[in-house]
Coordinates of all heavy atoms in Angstrom, one line a residue:
W546 N 86.6 49.7 50.0 CA 86.8 49.1 51.3 C 87.9 49.9 52.1 O 89.1 49.9 51.8 CB 87.3 47.6 51.1 CG 87.4 46.9 52.4 CD1 88.6 46.6 53.1 CD2 86.4 46.4 53.2 NE1 88.3 46.0 54.3 CE2 87.0 45.8 54.4 CE3 85.0 46.3 53.1 CZ2 86.2 45.2 55.4 CZ3 84.3 45.7 54.1 CH2 84.9 45.2 55.2
R547 N 87.4 50.6 53.2 CA 88.4 51.4 53.9 C 88.2 51.3 55.4 O 89.1 51.5 56.2 CB 88.3 52.8 53.5 CG 86.9 53.5 53.6 CD 87.0 55.0 53.6 NE 87.6 55.6 52.4 CZ 87.0 56.0 51.3 NH1 85.6 56.0 51.3 NH2 87.6 56.5 50.3
N548 N 87.0 51.1 55.9 CA 86.7 51.1 57.3 C 85.9 49.9 57.7 O 84.7 49.9 57.6 CB 86.0 52.4 57.7 CG 85.8 52.6 59.2 OD1 85.8 51.6 60.0 ND2 85.7 53.8 59.6
P549 N 86.5 48.8 58.1 CA 85.8 47.5 58.4 C 84.6 47.7 59.3 O 83.5 47.1 59.0 CB 86.8 46.6 59.0 CG 88.1 47.1 58.5 CD 88.0 48.6 58.4
A550 N 84.7 48.4 60.4 CA 83.6 48.5 61.4 C 82.5 49.3 60.8 O 81.3 48.9 60.9 CB 84.1 49.1 62.7
S551 N 82.8 50.4 60.1 CA 81.7 51.2 59.4 C 81.0 50.4 58.4 O 79.8 50.3 58.3 CB 82.4 52.4 58.8 OG 81.4 53.1 58.0
H552 N 81.7 49.7 57.5 CA 81.1 48.9 56.4 C 80.2 47.8 57.0 O 79.2 47.5 56.5 CB 82.2 48.3 55.5 CG 82.9 49.4 54.7 ND1 82.3 50.6 54.4 CD2 84.1 49.3 54.1 CE1 83.2 51.3 53.7 NE2 84.3 50.5 53.5
L553 N 80.8 47.1 58.1 CA 80.0 46.0 58.7 C 78.7 46.5 59.2 O 77.7 45.8 59.0 CB 80.9 45.4 59.8 CG 80.3 44.1 60.4 CD1 80.7 42.9 59.6 CD2 80.9 43.9 61.8
V554 N 78.7 47.6 60.0 CA 77.5 48.0 60.7 C 76.5 48.8 59.7 O 75.3 48.6 59.8 CB 77.8 48.9 61.9 CG1 76.6 49.5 62.5 CG2 78.5 48.0 62.9
Y555 N 77.1 49.7 58.9 CA 76.2 50.6 58.1 C 76.0 50.2 56.7 O 75.0 50.6 56.1 CB 76.8 52.0 58.1 CG 77.0 52.6 59.5 CD1 78.3 53.2 59.9 CD2 76.0 52.6 60.4 CE1 78.4 53.7 61.1 CE2 76.1 53.2 61.7 CZ 77.4 53.7 62.0 OH 77.5 54.3 63.3
S556 N 76.8 49.3 56.2 CA 76.7 48.9 54.7 C 76.3 47.4 54.5 O 75.6 47.1 53.5 CB 78.0 49.2 54.0 OG 78.3 50.6 54.1
A557 N 76.8 46.5 55.3 CA 76.7 45.1 55.1 C 75.3 44.6 55.4 O 74.5 45.3 56.2 CB 77.7 44.3 55.9
S558 N 75.0 43.4 55.0 CA 73.7 42.7 55.3 C 74.1 41.2 55.5 O 75.2 40.8 55.1 CB 72.7 42.9 54.3 OG 72.9 42.1 53.1
G559 N 73.1 40.5 55.9 CA 73.3 39.1 56.1 C 73.6 38.4 54.7 O 74.2 37.3 54.7
A560 N 73.2 39.0 53.6 CA 73.5 38.4 52.3 C 74.9 38.4 51.9 O 75.4 37.7 51.0 CB 72.7 39.2 51.2
D561 N 75.7 39.2 52.7 CA 77.2 39.2 52.4 C 78.0 38.1 53.1 O 79.2 38.0 52.9 CB 77.8 40.6 52.9 CG 77.1 41.7 52.1 OD1 77.0 41.6 50.9 OD2 76.8 42.7 52.7
V562 N 77.3 37.3 53.9 CA 77.9 36.2 54.6 C 78.3 35.1 53.7 O 77.5 34.6 52.9 CB 77.0 35.6 55.7 CG1 77.6 34.4 56.3 CG2 76.8 36.7 56.8
D563 N 79.6 34.8 53.7 CA 80.2 33.8 52.8 C 80.3 32.4 53.4 O 80.0 31.4 52.9 CB 81.5 34.3 52.3 CG 82.3 33.4 51.4 OD1 82.0 33.4 50.2 OD2 83.1 32.5 51.9
T564 N 80.9 32.4 54.7 CA 81.2 31.2 55.4 C 80.9 31.3 56.8 O 81.1 32.4 57.4 CB 82.7 30.8 55.2 OG1 82.9 30.6 53.8 CG2 83.1 29.6 56.0
V565 N 80.3 30.2 57.4 CA 80.0 30.2 58.8 C 80.5 29.0 59.5 O 80.3 27.9 59.0 CB 78.5 30.3 59.0 CG1 78.1 30.2 60.5 CG2 77.9 31.6 58.5

Side-chain angles (χ1 to χ4, degrees):
W546 183 258
R547 58 160 60 95
N548 186 335
S551 170
H552 292 336
L553 186 83
V554 172
Y555 301 130
S556 302
S558 76
D561 298 314
V562 171
D563 176 89
T564 295
V565 174

